[in-house]
Amino acid sequence: METPKMKTYSLGEMKDKHIGPIGSNERDEYEYELRMEVLGKMIKTTRRERNLTQEELGKLVGVQKAQISKLESSTNSATIDTILKVFSAMKAEINFNVRLEDNFVKL
């Protein structure tokens, strides 16, 4: 007996169906929150690699421990300046890439 074939969907198709198409407000908000979550995890991972507590990193950056906690848990949208200060305090390099169509903009 042959089993029926299940339809498979790409991640993009699932996002389109359940979140909204690219360019919609819902999709833009989702993508932004996802990037902030990844950034928070990067900050936390780097801090731990440097064997720093949130309080110690806060002192290096000039902010309270609570601000570092918010950055790591992605509950606070950070400015680029703050992000650069955090990674600089940990002596970590961070790169931003801008792509226009098929070309990357280099600074």
Side-chain angles (χ1 to χ4, degrees), residues 12 15-28 31:
K15 286 180 181 180
D16 288 346
K17 181 178 179 181
H18 296 285
I19 299 166
I22 292 174
S24 68
N25 287 338
E26 295 84 4
R27 182 72 168 264
D28 288 347
E31 297 292 345

Side-chain angles (χ1 to χ4, degrees), residues 38-79:
V38 169
L39 183 59
K41 288 180 190 259
M42 289 170 48
I43 291 169
K44 186 174 189 174
T45 300
T46 304
R47 176 181 60 77
R48 286 181 170 174
E49 284 288 320
R50 297 289 192 229
N51 294 314
L52 294 169
T53 65
Q54 289 178 339
E55 186 173 353
E56 290 168 333
L57 178 57
K59 285 180 182 175
L60 290 172
V61 177
V63 299
Q64 298 293 315
K65 174 189 173 209
Q67 180 68 21
I68 300 300
S69 177
K70 287 179 184 178
L71 287 172
E72 290 182 355
S73 64
S74 306
T75 59
N76 187 20
S77 62
T79 64

